[in-house]
Amino acid sequence: MFIYLRVLNESFRFAVNALRNNKLRTFLSLMGVTVGIFSIIGVLAAVDSLEKQIKGSLSNLDQSIMIVCHVSFGPTEVPRWKRQQFPLVNYEDYQYLVRSLPNLKAASYTISVPSQKVSYGDEAVESVNIDNATEGLYEIESLEFENGRFFNELESATGSNVAVIGSILRDQLFGKGNQAVGKKIKMLSRKFTVIGVLEKQGLGAFGDSKDEVALIPVNVVRRIYGDNNRSTFPTITLLPESGTDTDEFYAGAQQRLRQLRGIKDGELSNFFVNKLSGFTEFIDNIISFLTGVGWAIGAFALLVGGFGIANIMFVSVKERTNLIGIQKALGAKRRFILFQFLFESVLLSIFGGLIGLFLVWLIATAINFSGIAEDFEFILSASNVFLGLATTFFIGIIAGIIPAIGASRLDPVEAIRTGM
């Protein structure tokens, strides 16, 4: 046992000395592995961070939520030309589903419209997202308030000029921490009374944020844009009661909306009922694709780095042929020679990997502390660090094994003669 440890120790020392004596060659060999590991771990860390951000935001929503609209949120077999002919969902569709759909806990009708200028006195904020909905949005998104309340059923149905605003928009219009409830703001060429200020939430799953929005009853928007305006994007959000069979609820929503629109058996539905759980699976597929892209990008760099290390090791064996012959003539075993060159290859690879990991950590730290990506945390996880080190170790073994075996099999007499 002690003999093997001594062999490993001596081999390690020889490898370190060889790397020290050829600093430029060592540096050039490191670069390929460094770029490869930086590419792989950088992309994986970015993808992990994005996944955490998205799923963290989606975790606030009930996975049984379903969204009815004229487009599919995932892959579909319906041809594009056919989808473009689908009618928009409308307020009547929403009302019918609310009246007829069993086990419905809450529902909301929303119309996505262009951003607008919002002003209060001399203060104005450009390009504010004008979110709008019916009263059911409060329960669906579990909204929390810093001050005030959400609009009620009567205010929603009559399209009252009331508004709920985000905390950042409140600070921009009224000054940080100032009271906003009860004051009137202007948007959409109308004045709205602020009845609530939402608690700060940060970025949502899709890069949006409730902190900078103005939220108003959807019927106000309907009066302005109408019910069949292709420049808008209306959706109906459905939240079933807890414990409801989601497949049965999905089928019920499909059946009732088909009945309302007069779609016969065998005919294609002209709408989509999108499950949030299915959208989560779609996100997982995108994350997997991005991870694969990261590996593909890094693999090319690692391949170049591996060939670079292998080339350097062949050169190193050739340069030290005479020394190898002398070592074998003095009694050095084949395993000593093999470990000597294998350690050199692995050390080269690991050093390159460590530099690549350090660069990723440096960039992650800079992003997190500089505030470049607000509300987004760039994460370099322990699993990615371990993966990077394991990959570099594997590359070092693969790149160095053939030169190391070749060196260990040299005939001592021929090796000494060749080196003379």
Side-chain angles (χ1 to χ4, degrees):
M1 181 66 179
F2 289 106
I3 294 177
Y4 283 104
L5 291 176
R6 186 175 178 181
V7 168
L8 290 174
N9 181 52
E10 291 295 327
S11 300
F12 180 80
R13 288 170 56 192
F14 266 99
V16 171
N17 288 331
L19 295 178
R20 285 176 179 172
N21 294 333
N22 298 278
K23 293 183 177 62
L24 180 59
R25 188 172 69 186
T26 299
F27 172 76
L28 294 175
S29 302
L30 292 176
M31 294 311 295
V33 177
T34 298
V35 172
I37 292 300
F38 175 79
S39 301
I40 289 177
I41 303 305
V43 172
L44 292 182
V47 169
D48 285 350
S49 303
L50 181 63
E51 181 179 18
K52 181 181 178 182
Q53 179 75 25
I54 293 174
K55 290 190 173 180
S57 300
L58 289 177
S59 65
N60 297 326
L61 298 175
D62 194 316
Q63 291 297 299
S64 63
I65 285 176
M66 299 179 193
I67 300 174
V68 185
C69 60
H70 62 288
V71 300
S72 173
F73 290 176
T76 175
E77 296 180 358
V78 181
R80 183 176 179 180
W81 67 268
K82 192 74 173 178
R83 283 179 275 145
Q84 290 175 336
Q85 297 176 357
F86 284 2
L88 303 177
V89 295
N90 54 47
Y91 193 69
E92 286 67 35
D93 294 333
Y94 158 75
Q95 289 181 310
Y96 182 76
L97 289 174
V98 170
R99 290 195 308 267
S100 64
L101 195 58
N103 301 317
L104 179 65
K105 182 178 181 181
S108 177
Y109 180 66
T110 301
I111 302 175
S112 296
V113 296
S115 57
Q116 303 285 330
K117 180 174 78 171
V118 178
S119 61
Y120 172 75
D122 295 332
E123 297 294 332
V125 181
E126 301 287 345
S127 301
V128 175
N129 288 332
I130 308 299
D131 284 4
N132 55 88
T134 51
E135 74 284 353
L137 184 71
Y138 173 74
E139 190 165 11
I140 291 172
E141 295 197 3
S142 303
L143 297 175
E144 296 182 356
F145 284 79
E146 184 179 309
N147 297 110
R149 62 177 177 84
F150 199 64
F151 43 81
N152 56 38
E153 184 177 356
L154 178 61
E155 290 167 330
S156 173
T158 58
S160 300
N161 286 357
V162 293
V164 172
I165 62 175
S167 57
I168 292 180
L169 181 59
R170 182 271 317 275
D171 294 342
Q172 292 171 327
L173 291 174
F174 305 102
K176 192 169 184 180
N178 286 340
Q179 178 67 30
V181 175
K183 296 180 180 178
K184 294 184 181 296
I185 58 177
K186 188 175 181 180
M187 55 185 164
L188 297 168
S189 301
R190 292 164 171 78
K191 287 189 175 182
F192 292 80
T193 302
V194 177
I195 61 172
V197 178
L198 296 169
E199 282 194 359
K200 187 175 177 61
Q201 298 178 358
L203 285 177
F206 313 106
D208 58 339
S209 174
K210 284 279 192 292
D211 299 333
E212 301 175 69
V213 305
L215 210 164
I216 61 178
V218 71
N219 281 334
V220 177
V221 175
R222 287 181 62 222
R223 285 199 295 265
I224 299 171
Y225 288 90
D227 285 323
N228 194 31
N229 190 330
R230 282 283 171 178
S231 67
T232 65
F233 191 93
T235 59
I236 301 170
T237 304
L238 306 172
L239 175 63
E241 293 280 0
S242 178
T244 301
D245 186 295
T246 54
D247 291 334
E248 184 178 329
F249 186 85
Y250 173 86
Q254 286 267 6
Q255 187 269 330
R256 279 161 178 78
L257 199 49
R258 284 175 61 89
Q259 182 180 8
L260 176 65
R261 294 189 171 187
I263 301 173
K264 299 177 181 179
D265 291 341
E267 292 182 350
L268 188 70
S269 295
N270 57 7
F271 59 88
F272 293 97
V273 180
N274 299 284
K275 296 181 180 179
L276 188 62
S277 57
F279 181 72
T280 303
E281 294 174 4
F282 181 63
I283 292 294
D284 288 337
N285 291 334
I286 294 177
I287 295 296
S288 298
F289 173 76
L290 292 176
T291 301
V293 170
W295 274 105
I297 293 172
F300 283 108
L302 281 177
L303 186 64
V304 174
F307 280 127
I309 291 175
N311 182 55
I312 293 299
M313 295 311 301
F314 278 116
V315 172
S316 183
V317 170
K318 187 174 182 63
E319 286 180 346
R320 285 148 54 190
T321 299
N322 185 48
L323 179 59
I324 294 170
I326 294 173
Q327 288 175 336
K328 297 194 77 172
L330 293 175
K333 302 294 184 181
R334 288 176 57 181
R335 60 176 176 269
F336 175 81
I337 305 298
L338 185 141
F339 283 134
Q340 177 183 326
F341 286 95
L342 202 55
F343 273 137
E344 186 174 338
S345 174
V346 171
L347 284 174
L348 267 173
S349 186
I350 288 180
F351 286 159
L354 287 173
I355 295 172
L357 288 170
F358 175 74
L359 291 176
V360 174
W361 174 82
L362 206 61
I363 292 175
T365 303
I367 291 175
N368 291 335
F369 283 93
S370 66
I372 295 174
E374 189 178 354
D375 295 323
F376 181 83
E377 183 183 5
F378 195 97
I379 303 168
L380 178 59
S381 64
S383 60
N384 280 336
V385 172
F386 175 78
L387 181 62
L389 292 176
T391 302
T392 55
F393 180 81
F394 179 74
I395 292 296
I397 292 289
I398 296 299
I401 190 67
I402 295 178
I405 290 175
S408 68
R409 290 179 176 177
L410 286 175
D411 180 82
V413 176
E414 289 297 327
I416 294 173
R417 181 183 300 165
T418 302
M420 293 178 63

